[in-house]
Amino acid sequence: MATERRTDIGPPHYSRFLPPVIKDNYGKWKYHEILKPGVMVHVSEGGDKLFTVRASSPRLLGTIGIRRFAALADKYCDGFMRFTSRHNVEFLLTDEAKIDPLIAELADLGHPVGGIGNAISSIVHTQGWVHCHSAATDASGVVKAVMDDLIEYFDGSTAIPGKLRIALACCLNMCGAVHCSDIAILGVHRRPPKVQHDNLAKLCEIPNVIASCPTAAIRPAEVNGKASVDIDEELCMFCANCFSVCPALPMADALNDGISIWVGGKVSNARSEPMFSKLAIPFIENNPPRWPEVTEAVRKIVEVWVDGARKYERMGEFIERIGWPKFFQLTGIEFEKQHIDDYKFAGLSFKRSAQLRH
Amino acid sequence: MADSQRSTPLLDELKKGPWPSFVTQIEEMADAGKEECDQLLRLLERSYVEKVGHWKHGGIVGVMGYGGGVIGRYSDLQEDYPAIAHFHTIRVNQPAGWFYTSDALRTLCDIWDRHGSGLTNMHGSTGDIIFLGTTTAELEPTFAELTANDFDLGGSGSNVRTPSCCVGQARCEWACYDAMDACHNITMHFQDELHRPFFPYKFKFKFAGCPNDCVASIARSDMSVIGTWRDQIRIDQDEVRKYAQGDEEGGRNTPLNIQRDVVGNCPTKCMEWDDNELIIDDSNCVKCMHCINVMPKALRPGTDTGATILVGAKAPIVEGAQLSSVIVPFAKMEPPYDEIKDLAERIWDFWGEHGKNRERVGELMQRVGLGNFLEAIEVDPMPEMVAYPRDNPYVFYEEYYEEGDEEDEEEDE
């Protein structure tokens, strides 16, 4: 019995998943207030109130974990909930009296509440060693270790000057698009691809491989009678674009892979325009399971910002105000050759004035 | 069944501490009988010991008639971990705004328990529901059950990637257009482009309701649609004074220093505060949102709302990271959003013709020059599109006059 195959139907319409209070007040919200860490209320033109409780999530969820969230939504929110762009879980309540019992139950289940307003929200991140072919570090493990350490800034037990957004991508492909984050944790390879001459021609289109290299470091070559490629290692900047088009050019290397830290990016237009993150620490070795050197470096940068930033000032705005030399001095991070850009338009980042703090 | 002999001392360290643990999530599934989760933990423990990943890409897998939505993934240690030798990802297009009912979530869980590892990402970086890990044989049955329940696959490869948006007017007073409707509408309109890759590379749409850009559209999408307004910020002076005085109610018991914290942070210095009234020169306001963010009860965006459309953001691969650039300074955002659809199609026509393999639109704009790009997509240049006019004198004029041309031209008129 053949049934017609459904395709190209797109996602279900969102209106099926909106609670009545949202349907009634869609486009009619007037203002919101943050009631306490992780809890806010939105008030409509007509006076209706919608309470949001934002809870932490590891992003990687099993169906058992999702069903637990669904059960909480049934118990406290008539079955309505959502996720945020930073992997948080949000419960949508109309009964204010249910907020504290929900928070207590979330705490029992190991999901601290927070991340709203002037706080560190969840870390946007990628797959890492759990499921990615090009990872230079794990993602979930580093995120877990960093957030364990920074929990006081998520749950509101320590107040901070403004928003601080951390993101992690496990290689330069940046599926996590971390390049505009207050603090970016970025996996880096430091060894050129190891060419698998025996099967390269079988697995890959050699002209595509050559064309994929932004620095023209890849040339055709015949090795042991087989068509393959040769890599000018001095020209390799470890972008892994060739590996993306050719699996016979693996980049991963335990001795040379690790993590870099970038600071001062933002996407919001508030006050200053959106900014890229800039290099703070070129390389930290992978040290699983808890990457203590990474958590320590991130904490130090956060603390320098918490101590020195003005109210609402984002990391990048703070650093622009005090100057980069001061940032390196306050964090104790050594300034090295790698901090100076040498790719396209590098000169734009050179200091071209005598306006210096002495 | 899960093997009681599993030993993961390094991963066990990541079950400790206050932040919710992904290891616990995988372990629960393993203990519930998912053999692939048990083997995933063992493989991951091995990665933690060896400090290197064990996954391979390559090999085209998918569902019939689609060129995207499934990403082939294979372990490079297939004999040691046979249950995850093939462990493909399925991207499922999320509902706009990531809203769910508990029933919808349980439906998704039921499908994934039957056909895959039971592991997910809620959500992936682009916004999809990520089903993490299944075999080629399960792809078609998973797809059949998803579509039977009104879900469809998202994008992958060189196609329109799954559009995403902020919470928009569903729960935010700052949304300057209906971001969820626009996102859903565009997603439905471009279903063919989403499921069948025929671009030089990926193309992402993101819809942000206001310049706070909670979906990071300006950093993460080839077409960034950011809500804005062009009339006056709405002011309730009584509420401004309450912020200044401090108010026991509503958590505002700390007085706000309006001069320092609001006026002093205005990027164009377009506001004045005389301890009684806040005066805004809206003609010089750049809609940065700071004053509104700080005093949501007193200030609101105007009512002549729409969006700024920017194009070309991308991560570093391969010519370097870019933010999106202004292409349309202001567009009214009304269904059926023809302005966005037409603009996208004009860009795709030019990109399809001139783009190189794996070249994003932002890179094409750099390579041919923004001026030539604008000409190709039939958009007139405007000063809003640049931070400042060029400061180098090497202008590529495309034509020059010969002696006598001028007279001919006059005669033509």
Side-chain angles (χ1 to χ4, degrees), chain B residues 274-340:
Chain B
D274 63 3
D275 286 331
N276 183 50
E277 219 163 289
L278 186 69
I279 310 294
I280 302 178
D281 172 11
D282 284 279
S283 67
N284 197 30
C285 166
V286 289
K287 284 61 176 173
C288 88
M289 290 297 291
H290 174 76
C291 59
I292 298 173
N293 289 344
V294 173
M295 300 193 288
K297 262 182 132 167
L299 303 180
R300 307 169 74 185
T303 53
D304 183 9
T305 56
T308 301
I309 302 172
L310 306 93
V311 173
K314 58 181 287 295
I317 296 297
V318 63
E319 296 282 326
Q322 289 183 35
L323 294 166
S324 283
S325 307
V326 172
I327 297 294
V328 181
F330 187 90
K332 291 300 278 186
M333 287 291 291
E334 279 151 14
Y337 311 103
D338 284 337
E339 187 165 1
I340 288 188

Side-chain angles (χ1 to χ4, degrees), chain B residues 94-372:
Chain B
Q94 81 287 1
W98 298 290
F99 281 93
Y100 297 92
T101 56
S102 51
D103 285 342
L105 286 173
R106 278 187 288 262
T107 299
L108 289 166
C109 289
D110 290 344
I111 294 171
W112 193 226
D113 281 340
R114 278 195 286 275
H115 297 292
S117 70
L119 299 179
T120 75
N121 292 143
M122 299 297 277
H123 294 77
S125 288
T126 300
D128 300 273
I129 302 158
I130 304 291
F131 281 180
L132 210 59
T134 193
T135 57
T136 307
E138 293 293 343
L139 296 175
E140 225 16 86
T142 311
F143 179 66
E145 282 211 53
L146 283 170
T147 52
N149 286 282
D150 301 331
F151 281 91
D152 198 348
L153 301 192
S156 70
S158 297
N159 59 13
V160 167
R161 296 298 184 86
T162 308
S164 71
C165 63
C166 67
V167 72
Q169 295 182 340
R171 197 202 52 197
C172 187
E173 67 272 25
W174 296 332
C176 294
Y177 68 95
D178 192 343
M180 282 169 44
D181 182 62
C183 182
H184 187 78
N185 185 303
I186 298 287
T187 305
M188 299 306 282
H189 183 77
F190 290 125
Q191 280 293 296
D192 192 25
E193 288 82 355
L194 201 155
H195 296 304
R196 288 161 202 95
F198 44 66
F199 293 153
Y201 203 13
K202 63 184 91 167
F203 190 94
K204 298 185 180 186
F205 288 98
K206 287 194 191 293
F207 298 88
C210 84
N212 283 325
D213 200 358
C214 289
V215 279
S217 70
I218 202 165
R220 306 180 66 167
S221 55
D222 300 270
M223 186 172 282
S224 321
V225 183
I226 301 178
T228 189
W229 66 96
R230 52 185 178 183
D231 55 346
Q232 285 83 41
I233 290 176
R234 286 175 283 172
I235 307 181
D236 183 333
Q237 298 287 358
D238 283 340
E239 290 292 336
V240 177
R241 285 187 281 274
K242 283 190 200 165
Y243 275 105
Q245 288 151 11
D247 180 350
E248 288 302 321
E249 288 172 47
R252 296 182 307 181
N253 44 10
T254 311
L256 186 66
N257 184 332
I258 302 223
Q259 185 58 41
R260 186 192 66 195
D261 294 333
V262 183
V263 176
N265 274 319
C266 174
T268 58
K269 307 287 171 252
C270 73
M271 13 180 52
E272 282 178 44
W273 167 244
D274 63 3
D275 286 331
N276 183 50
E277 219 163 289
L278 186 69
I279 310 294
I280 302 178
D281 172 11
D282 284 279
S283 67
N284 197 30
C285 166
V286 289
K287 284 61 176 173
C288 88
M289 290 297 291
H290 174 76
C291 59
I292 298 173
N293 289 344
V294 173
M295 300 193 288
K297 262 182 132 167
L299 303 180
R300 307 169 74 185
T303 53
D304 183 9
T305 56
T308 301
I309 302 172
L310 306 93
V311 173
K314 58 181 287 295
I317 296 297
V318 63
E319 296 282 326
Q322 289 183 35
L323 294 166
S324 283
S325 307
V326 172
I327 297 294
V328 181
F330 187 90
K332 291 300 278 186
M333 287 291 291
E334 279 151 14
Y337 311 103
D338 284 337
E339 187 165 1
I340 288 188
K341 291 170 186 169
D342 292 346
L343 180 64
E345 287 182 347
R346 292 201 301 278
I347 290 172
W348 296 341
D349 281 348
F350 180 64
W351 183 39
E353 185 99 354
H354 297 275
K356 296 193 284 191
N357 186 33
R358 287 171 64 77
E359 183 177 51
R360 293 282 287 270
V361 168
E363 289 163 328
L364 176 66
M365 288 163 65
Q366 288 287 328
R367 182 162 62 82
V368 303
L370 178 59
N372 290 330

Side-chain angles (χ1 to χ4, degrees), chain A residues 143-271:
Chain A
V143 165
K144 163 76 174 141
V146 169
M147 286 310 290
D148 276 344
D149 189 53
L150 298 179
I151 190 74
E152 64 188 289
Y153 304 113
F154 175 82
D155 68 15
S157 48
T158 300
I160 56 177
K163 291 181 190 297
L164 191 118
R165 298 286 177 255
I166 307 178
L168 181 148
C170 48
C171 83
L172 303 195
N173 274 327
M174 277 197 201
C175 299
V178 302
H179 54 291
C180 295
S181 305
D182 294 282
I183 299 178
I185 304 169
L186 177 64
V188 287
H189 300 292
R190 295 189 306 168
R191 181 179 173 156
K194 287 168 261 189
V195 185
Q196 296 174 347
H197 295 295
D198 280 346
N199 58 5
L200 188 135
K202 277 184 282 179
L203 290 173
C204 317
E205 300 275 352
I206 288 177
N208 277 352
V209 177
I210 292 164
S212 72
C213 181
T215 63
I218 306 178
R219 289 174 300 228
E222 194 179 293
V223 180
N224 302 328
K226 288 180 176 163
S228 183
V229 297
D230 182 38
I231 295 178
D232 182 344
E233 297 198 342
E234 281 188 15
L235 289 177
C236 180
M237 57 182 186
F238 321 104
C239 74
N241 200 44
C242 59
F243 175 59
S244 290
V245 303
C246 177
L249 293 168
M251 300 284 298
D253 186 88
L255 283 177
N256 293 286
D257 290 350
I259 280 174
S260 57
I261 310 260
W262 305 68
V263 297
K266 70 196 272 282
V267 294
S268 144
N269 285 272
R271 300 170 305 283

Side-chain angles (χ1 to χ4, degrees), chain A residues 10-326:
Chain A
H13 195 268
Y14 54 86
S15 60
R16 291 166 58 174
F17 309 123
L18 301 179
V21 64
I22 286 184
K23 282 190 174 166
D24 291 348
N25 295 289
Y26 196 97
K28 294 183 224 159
W29 297 105
K30 191 174 179 198
Y31 67 91
H32 76 278
E33 284 178 308
I34 298 167
L35 301 179
K36 57 183 174 181
V39 182
M40 58 184 166
V41 60
H42 285 78
V43 181
S44 76
E45 303 274 8
D48 284 349
K49 289 184 175 178
L50 170 64
F51 299 94
T52 298
V53 173
R54 183 178 291 175
S56 53
S57 155
R59 185 180 96 126
L60 195 166
L61 294 171
T63 50
I64 295 171
I66 296 173
R67 289 176 201 276
R68 255 195 314 265
F69 284 142
L72 286 178
D74 283 338
K75 187 167 171 186
Y76 294 99
C77 321
D78 302 317
F80 295 100
M81 59 180 286
R82 70 179 289 267
F83 293 82
T84 74
S85 57
R86 303 191 72 84
H87 318 313
N88 300 291
V89 183
E90 287 185 340
F91 294 91
L92 308 165
L93 301 87
T94 46
D95 183 354
E96 193 169 3
K98 288 182 177 170
I99 294 173
D100 287 336
L102 170 61
I103 292 174
E105 199 160 341
L106 282 163
D108 285 346
L109 293 170
H111 293 281
V113 161
I116 293 179
N118 292 343
I120 296 182
S121 193
S122 300
I123 298 181
V124 167
H125 65 102
T126 55
Q127 302 288 15
W129 292 334
V130 171
H131 207 224
C132 184
H133 61 287
S134 63
T137 185
D138 190 31
S140 303
V142 183
V143 165
K144 163 76 174 141
V146 169
M147 286 310 290
D148 276 344
D149 189 53
L150 298 179
I151 190 74
E152 64 188 289
Y153 304 113
F154 175 82
D155 68 15
S157 48
T158 300
I160 56 177
K163 291 181 190 297
L164 191 118
R165 298 286 177 255
I166 307 178
L168 181 148
C170 48
C171 83
L172 303 195
N173 274 327
M174 277 197 201
C175 299
V178 302
H179 54 291
C180 295
S181 305
D182 294 282
I183 299 178
I185 304 169
L186 177 64
V188 287
H189 300 292
R190 295 189 306 168
R191 181 179 173 156
K194 287 168 261 189
V195 185
Q196 296 174 347
H197 295 295
D198 280 346
N199 58 5
L200 188 135
K202 277 184 282 179
L203 290 173
C204 317
E205 300 275 352
I206 288 177
N208 277 352
V209 177
I210 292 164
S212 72
C213 181
T215 63
I218 306 178
R219 289 174 300 228
E222 194 179 293
V223 180
N224 302 328
K226 288 180 176 163
S228 183
V229 297
D230 182 38
I231 295 178
D232 182 344
E233 297 198 342
E234 281 188 15
L235 289 177
C236 180
M237 57 182 186
F238 321 104
C239 74
N241 200 44
C242 59
F243 175 59
S244 290
V245 303
C246 177
L249 293 168
M251 300 284 298
D253 186 88
L255 283 177
N256 293 286
D257 290 350
I259 280 174
S260 57
I261 310 260
W262 305 68
V263 297
K266 70 196 272 282
V267 294
S268 144
N269 285 272
R271 300 170 305 283
S272 52
E273 292 186 339
M275 305 185 226
F276 284 128
S277 312
K278 279 91 178 176
L279 182 62
I281 303 177
F283 188 79
I284 301 173
E285 277 180 28
N286 275 322
N287 190 2
R290 295 198 67 98
W291 282 266
E293 297 82 6
V294 173
T295 58
E296 193 186 328
V298 171
R299 170 165 280 276
K300 180 69 191 174
I301 293 166
V302 169
E303 285 177 350
V304 164
W305 169 76
V306 170
D307 287 347
R310 291 179 180 164
K311 201 170 174 184
Y312 308 121
E313 204 168 47
R314 295 284 290 262
M315 180 73 72
E317 297 167 318
F318 162 63
I319 297 172
E320 279 195 354
R321 179 169 59 77
I322 65 168
W324 284 97
K326 187 83 173 176

